[in-house]
Amino acid sequence: MSAGRWLDAGVVGAADAVAAGAVTAEALVGEALGRLRSDPHNAVLHVDGEAALEAAQQVDAARAAGEALGPLAGVPVALKDNLCQRGTPTTCASRLLEGWVAPYDAHVVERLRAAGAMLVAKTNMDEFAMGSSNETSAFGPVKNPWDPARAPGGSSGGSAAAVAARLVPGALGSDTGGSVRQPAAFCGLFALKPTYGRVSRYGLVAFASSLDQVGPFARSARDGARLFAAIAGRDGRDATSADAPSADWEGACARGVEGLRVGVPRALLEGASAGVRARIDAALEALKDAGATLVDVTLPHAKHGVSVYYLVAPAEASSNLARFDGVRYGLRVEEGGGLDAMYEATRARFGPEVKRRILLGTYALSAGYYDAYYLRAQKVRTLIRRDYDAAFEACDVVATPTAPTVAFPLGERTDDPLTMYLSDVYTLPASLAGLPAISTPAGLSEGLPTGLQLVGRAFDEATLFAAAGALEKAFGPLPSPVPAGPGEHAGEEGAS
Amino acid sequence: MSAWEAVVGLEVHAQLRTRTKLFCACPNEFGAPPNTHVCPVCLGLPGALPAPNEAAIDLALRAALALGGEVRERSVFARKSYFYPDLAKGYQISQFALPIIEGGAVPMALEGEARSAALTRIHLEEDAAKNLHVQGETVVDFNRAGTPLIEIVGEPVLRSGAEAEAYLRALREVLVFIGVNDGNLEEGSFRCDANVSIRPKGEERLGTRVELKNINSFRFVRKAIDHEVARQAALRESGGEVVQETRTWDERQERTVAMRGKEEAHDYRYFPDPDLPPLVVDAARLARAEETLPELPAAMRARWVETLGLTAQDAGVLAAHPAIAAYFEAVATGLGEAAGLKPAKAGKKAANFVMAEVLRETATEGVEARFPAAAPEVAALLALVEDGTINGKIAKEVFAKMVATGEPPKTIVEREGLAQVTDTAAIEAVVREVLAANPKQVEQYRGGKTAVLGFFVGQVMKATRGQANPKAVNEILRALLAEG
Ligand SMILES: [Zn+2]
């Protein structure tokens, strides 16, 4: 069987094949590099061929020598371009960091290397992760593999498109207000935003520090669990990193949902399109058939999520992005004049969405406005968290659509930031509450994927994996959005 | 008498003596080649995060205990935002609304009178990098970036340059003694800014204040404040108004000058740093800090006067530097043990010798001191005096040889045959010779002019090259002269 088939076998399938000697890591990486280099969706910003092939040869040599292999040995993985990878460009899809080569590895990158993963590419994204459609990238929008005229979602649109188009079996993204979940929904994938503190943020270029988490994309919950297990865990370099016990997340995917209480905030569901609502109803029905019970819950403050988020996140971002000043690294624009002129000319090269958020955040933190905006937003944030605490008295997970619509056409919302911001209405509350949340495929609506979002208790990712696994079992795999690619690149799922 | 009252409050930035920086593992060390003690965190690279250095927090707690400040159970790191090339992240991690320590006071002596000056707060923060100007270009050395600091904010209770100087000296002494700061003004590890205003005597309301920045010696602090007070008074008396501004001391011109650059009304946009959870200090941690708190200099001086028989002045000299204080204590204790002396006696003798002989040859640098001989050796030397092996005069010679050769005192005394003659028969023979050679003085003594005893003692010492035990010489002289 050719390397293409094994690359299409998913994270666990590819890792098993390498471990069993069915395919070499080098062949897998070679296949992935070929696909990445002919990526038609602008999902990829940088392909790291040489280093990845070298790493693959090391895996093959280790296997030949009888050494134990890591759980991701030989598996090609793509990284969102806001994760620092030593010796590799890390641009955040911004002119400000164009050409900057990270001199160190992010914690998640260290962990992926230790697990044997092949770091093959950096993926496109909204500039500094600010956007919901991947259209704010300085390097052009990403096209959705299901329909190239539509957005893949954002901000981790490149990672989502790369996995959906089967360039790689898995990828990492970052999620601040829905940036892995919404693209996963738009691209028909599994994605997890871990509990805040579960995954170290060290080496993730900060957008909003109190919200950012790194999370995996994959075509199945079990593949996602394999990636998640590799990156989760305490890191002393991130003071907000938690020392929480891990669990058998892969095993949880096959656990079933017998007795699981699924909370449904009916009032919130009204905001979704009819097509999405129909798929969510079907998904809830499927969970019920698998043994779960549906419970009505309310999240009275969730409706303020968008307002709160667009104060807290820009405030933190305005401060986090102050370091891009042209002094030490990245872009410096000097058009004559002194220091202030250099600051202004350099920072003028941020894209319009980033500028909008820096201005918003600077305003919210200014003397005289701080109490009314930032402080009040933080108070409402606490109320949102309490809503979940109350809901979890009656249920184990809270279910909503991941996004109110299917993937929207590219260009449709770029002139209307408010409508764009509203596409995150379902994902923002869990981010503000710091809770774990997944998006898992809920089937197609008019040929486009939809996603079910499930929010769990803090550090209870296992229950989310169980629910996602059960839904996959009920629905079966989605068809592939891309035709057979190079080699035997087939549309079948995990054929063996 | 001036009609104006000066109102002065000092803000001191004291670098903490930790091994590593406040939020990364880079060495906290002055003097390394530029940009060698740097990492992603202190360079503010994209993606890097701060992780607090627990040792720095413990030193801040120690300062709180020494200065009587209240430690907040839950304090918060905040970001202070402004753009400047020496600020890697575009913000400084500091504390704002909820500092780790509130209140406290600096115990100081003013013209011999004990006083204390109240503190507003003490908070933790990271130092900025250092801009250097090299051949017309500005370059930045990030070695200093992220060095842990405490900022000690004093209440505006000081009334003159002299008071400010006394306050600073007292504060520095405490911080140096408890091992929190090395007290080095030249290297900038102990820095002072002063807020200075004046008001008519009797007036409560504060006048417009001027901030004096970058004053790097005690003397300059006093002069700068006094000159600034005089400048403001002259300005007001001639009908002018004091402008709120930042000035600095120009030593050459002997006056304060406005700092260049336009004064911008800064909005630092402080907000809690989302990268750092609130800093929680529980009772157990505070108790541990208390256990490791060294004796404070004022208490040490009082104890020395009380139990070691020192005068207040001597205690002041020996407690001026932590290494010297420790050295003196070691000599006093060593001597007491070796010679079986009471603490008061051993202390007095140790103090006299250390001040008269040792300090002359001692070099201090920051909190370190290089002594000419180890404390136990000096204690052993003084013990030789106590047991009569040598006298005080010989002790000084032996000490000089100890310094030169590094040998222990006993070796020197034995090799050079410096042990004093205590053999009464030998001394008696010399005394008889001296008496026989000086019949006229013997006559005078016996005629009641007992003062000539000193002359005989001198002759005997001369004949024995100083090695005769003076006590024995005295006794034998008196006895033989009395025999008639
Ligand atoms: Zn560092």
Side-chain angles (χ1 to χ4, degrees):
Chain A
M1 197 186 275
S2 83
R5 298 292 290 254
W6 291 120
L7 195 61
D8 289 340
V11 173
V12 174
D16 287 350
V18 170
V23 65
T24 62
E26 191 174 357
L28 264 186
V29 167
E31 175 68 21
L33 293 175
R35 294 185 191 181
L36 287 160
R37 286 185 177 126
S38 53
D39 154 42
H41 301 109
N42 198 27
V44 179
L45 293 180
H46 178 80
V47 178
D48 204 7
E50 220 166 288
L53 281 171
E54 211 169 284
Q57 286 157 4
Q58 280 171 20
V59 167
D60 292 333
R63 188 182 174 278
E67 292 169 24
L69 298 181
L72 294 171
V75 181
V77 174
L79 303 173
K80 186 177 183 179
D81 207 23
N82 60 353
L83 290 165
C84 289
Q85 179 185 347
R86 180 193 278 271
T88 302
T90 299
T91 66
C92 295
S94 177
R95 296 286 172 210
L96 270 287
L97 275 178
E98 197 172 0
W100 182 67
V101 174
Y104 75 103
D105 274 343
H107 181 255
V108 293
V109 172
E110 284 175 1
R111 297 290 297 267
L112 284 181
R113 287 192 204 276
M118 307 287 99
L119 307 178
V120 286
K122 302 298 284 294
T123 59
N124 203 348
M125 56 185 282
D126 279 299
E127 184 179 4
F128 283 106
M130 297 178 190
S132 308
S133 66
N134 218 114
E135 290 167 290
T136 73
S137 167
F139 308 119
V142 176
K143 295 169 187 145
N144 190 322
W146 290 83
D147 176 355
R150 288 175 188 267
S155 65
S156 310
S159 286
V163 177
R166 308 196 172 204
L167 311 182
V168 283
L172 295 188
S174 68
D175 188 314
T176 305
S179 284
V180 298
R181 288 164 283 163
Q182 185 246 26
F186 282 11
C187 293
L189 300 174
F190 170 91
L192 164 71
K193 182 205 83 82
T195 311
Y196 186 79
R198 177 67 95 170
V199 176
S200 168
R201 295 181 293 115
Y202 191 80
L204 164 67
V205 182
F207 161 16
S209 313
S210 72
L211 298 157
D212 296 342
Q213 274 292 292
V214 178
F217 284 100
R219 292 203 313 280
S220 75
R222 191 176 167 208
D223 282 1
R226 178 73 61 98
L227 288 169
F228 176 54
I231 61 170
R234 160 94 183 136
D235 172 22
R237 294 169 301 185
D238 175 359
T240 64
S241 150
D243 199 3
S246 62
D248 177 11
W249 294 302
E250 257 188 88
C253 296
R255 186 166 88 187
V257 289
E258 191 62 53
L260 182 78
R261 296 170 305 164
V262 179
V264 184
R266 294 279 170 201
L268 288 184
L269 267 48
E270 301 303 309
S273 72
V276 167
R277 267 209 322 270
R279 291 312 311 162
I280 297 309
D281 287 342
L284 293 174
E285 220 36 55
L287 287 173
K288 205 168 127 191
D289 291 346
T293 51
L294 304 183
V295 204
D296 283 345
V297 295
T298 56
L299 298 171
H301 298 93
K303 59 175 180 284
H304 301 303
V306 176
S307 321
V308 171
Y309 177 85
Y310 280 97
L311 286 169
V312 172
E316 295 179 9
S318 71
S319 170
N320 285 330
L321 270 60
R323 67 187 63 193
F324 304 106
D325 58 5
V327 173
R328 295 165 311 282
Y329 47 73
L331 182 71
R332 175 189 292 181
V333 184
E334 283 174 301
E335 296 166 345
L339 183 63
D340 285 344
M342 189 271 278
Y343 286 150
E344 277 166 29
T346 301
R347 291 171 64 80
R349 302 297 176 91
F350 281 125
E353 184 59 30
V354 173
K355 282 183 192 159
R356 180 165 22 244
R357 296 199 195 187
I358 289 176
L359 288 173
L360 242 151
T362 303
Y363 187 76
L365 290 178
S366 295
Y369 299 99
Y370 177 86
D371 288 1
Y373 293 120
Y374 187 77
L375 208 60
R376 180 164 307 172
Q378 290 290 18
K379 284 178 182 160
V380 179
R381 192 174 174 180
T382 307
L383 296 176
I384 291 172
R385 167 99 204 208
R386 284 191 193 144
D387 282 357
Y388 279 107
D389 289 344
F392 287 133
E393 302 270 313
C395 68
D396 305 306
V397 295
V398 173
T400 63
T402 305
T405 64
V406 292
F408 46 82
L410 285 166
E412 186 188 83
R413 300 181 180 184
T414 41
D415 295 331
D416 184 359
L418 210 59
T419 309
M420 186 73 91
Y421 294 173
L422 286 170
S423 59
D424 298 331
V425 64
Y426 291 119
T427 50
L428 296 175
S431 291
L432 291 165
L435 298 173
I438 54 159
S439 180
T440 187
L444 302 181
S445 169
E446 294 171 39
L448 292 169
T450 61
L452 174 74
Q453 175 182 247
L454 295 168
V455 179
R457 295 187 181 89
F459 301 105
D460 186 16
E461 286 88 355
T463 300
L464 301 179
F465 279 109
L471 202 59
E472 283 173 4
K473 198 168 154 199
F475 281 171
L478 290 177
S480 172
V482 288
E488 290 181 48
H489 185 190
E492 306 150 53
E493 188 72 19
S496 56
Chain B
M1 264 315 256
S2 165
W4 302 100
E5 177 177 59
V7 178
V8 180
L10 299 187
E11 287 171 12
V12 169
H13 287 88
Q15 288 182 351
L16 301 175
R17 287 181 57 201
T18 52
R19 210 172 44 74
T20 56
K21 293 185 182 181
L22 185 51
F23 295 116
C24 64
C26 290
N28 170 20
E29 208 176 84
F30 182 83
N35 294 312
T36 53
H37 290 340
V38 293
C39 74
V41 176
C42 54
L43 285 174
L45 292 192
L49 294 173
N53 178 351
E54 298 298 327
I57 293 158
D58 284 333
L59 288 185
L61 296 180
R62 201 184 274 188
L65 293 167
L67 297 168
E70 184 99 21
V71 174
R72 193 188 286 278
E73 204 183 302
R74 196 168 167 279
S75 66
V76 171
F77 285 108
R79 294 182 180 179
K80 177 183 183 179
S81 297
Y82 60 95
F83 285 100
Y84 203 62
D86 68 4
L87 198 60
K89 301 184 291 298
Y91 59 83
Q92 177 194 28
I93 304 177
S94 178
Q95 296 189 304
F96 182 58
L98 302 171
I100 184 166
I101 300 157
E102 292 197 84
V106 175
M108 52 194 272
L110 262 183
E111 285 158 8
E113 212 172 300
R115 232 188 86 176
S116 79
L119 296 175
T120 312
R121 58 188 271 159
I122 301 176
H123 65 251
L124 276 160
E125 63 184 29
E126 57 177 348
D127 211 339
K130 213 169 176 176
N131 284 2
L132 306 168
H133 303 280
V134 182
Q135 293 165 352
E137 270 205 286
T138 303
V139 291
V140 191
D141 176 8
F142 283 89
N143 284 353
R144 196 179 73 176
T147 297
L149 294 176
I150 45 174
E151 179 174 340
I152 302 144
V153 183
E155 290 281 297
V157 293
L158 305 170
R159 295 287 171 261
S160 68
E163 287 195 23
E165 183 184 348
Y167 168 96
L168 268 190
R169 285 190 186 277
L171 176 59
R172 175 178 176 271
E173 183 184 73
V174 169
L175 296 181
V176 167
F177 257 82
I178 60 176
V180 161
N181 177 259
D182 70 9
N184 196 321
L185 278 75
E186 296 78 46
E187 289 175 5
S189 53
F190 185 90
R191 308 196 290 271
C192 169
D193 300 332
N195 290 311
V196 180
S197 64
I198 60 166
R199 62 186 171 192
K201 277 200 176 133
E203 170 93 44
E204 277 290 310
R205 210 162 46 87
L206 294 171
T208 305
R209 70 178 197 194
V210 163
E211 191 177 9
L212 297 180
K213 269 197 178 298
N214 307 337
I215 350 180
N216 60 0
S217 89
F218 290 122
R219 206 164 52 88
F220 293 175
V221 165
R222 178 164 41 80
K223 282 164 78 176
I225 289 171
D226 287 342
H227 276 78
E228 178 58 23
V229 168
R231 186 189 72 86
Q232 291 184 16
L235 201 60
R236 294 278 292 271
E237 276 157 18
S238 64
E241 284 294 324
V242 175
V243 188
Q244 186 167 343
E245 61 182 347
T246 303
R247 301 176 70 87
T248 190
W249 176 245
D250 185 324
E251 173 61 11
R252 260 206 345 239
Q253 298 188 57
E254 288 249 326
R255 63 187 192 93
T256 65
V257 291
M259 284 176 86
R260 270 194 299 275
K262 59 176 188 271
E263 269 303 298
E264 286 176 59
H266 266 303
D267 179 358
Y268 291 120
R269 302 191 307 280
Y270 282 102
F271 78 110
D273 191 332
D275 286 331
L276 294 161
L279 169 54
V280 176
V281 177
D282 58 13
R285 183 165 191 179
L286 204 53
R288 279 198 304 278
E290 193 136 28
E291 277 165 30
T292 62
L293 182 70
E295 188 177 29
L296 297 178
M300 186 181 280
R301 282 192 290 265
R303 177 171 59 80
W304 288 352
V305 170
E306 179 93 354
T307 64
L308 295 187
L310 265 58
T311 63
Q313 199 189 348
D314 290 354
V317 170
L318 291 167
H321 190 281
I324 291 171
Y327 183 92
F328 157 69
E329 287 245 31
V331 174
T333 313
L335 173 59
E337 279 166 11
L341 293 179
K342 288 211 164 81
K345 201 152 186 206
K348 181 87 195 136
K349 287 177 187 280
N352 287 342
F353 192 83
V354 170
M355 285 190 298
E357 304 301 323
V358 181
L359 288 191
R360 231 189 357 226
E361 312 265 347
T362 300
T364 59
E365 202 195 322
V367 290
E368 313 290 334
R370 261 199 333 278
F371 295 100
E377 302 292 357
V378 172
L381 173 66
L382 297 183
L384 290 178
V385 177
E386 285 315 305
D387 69 12
T389 308
I390 56 174
N391 62 36
K393 187 163 166 284
I394 296 288
K396 290 179 188 178
E397 276 174 42
V398 175
F399 179 68
K401 292 201 163 97
M402 285 164 63
V403 173
T405 65
E407 288 172 318
K410 213 162 173 190
T411 311
I412 295 168
V413 167
E414 279 168 10
R415 189 184 58 233
E416 317 242 329
L418 294 173
Q420 63 188 353
V421 180
T422 43
D423 174 354
T424 41
I427 293 173
E428 195 177 319
V430 177
V431 169
R432 284 190 192 283
E433 273 172 39
V434 168
L435 293 184
N438 298 286
K440 202 170 129 213
Q441 284 80 355
V442 172
E443 201 67 8
Q444 285 173 345
Y445 182 90
R446 289 184 177 144
K449 230 182 140 187
T450 53
V452 292
L453 188 69
F455 165 78
F456 292 124
V457 171
Q459 292 299 306
V460 173
M461 295 311 281
K462 199 173 155 192
T464 59
R465 288 181 304 142
Q467 280 169 261
N469 182 329
K471 207 170 139 219
V473 171
N474 263 293
E475 279 167 11
I476 293 167
L477 265 172
R478 277 180 214 277
L480 292 184
L481 285 166
E483 274 173 13

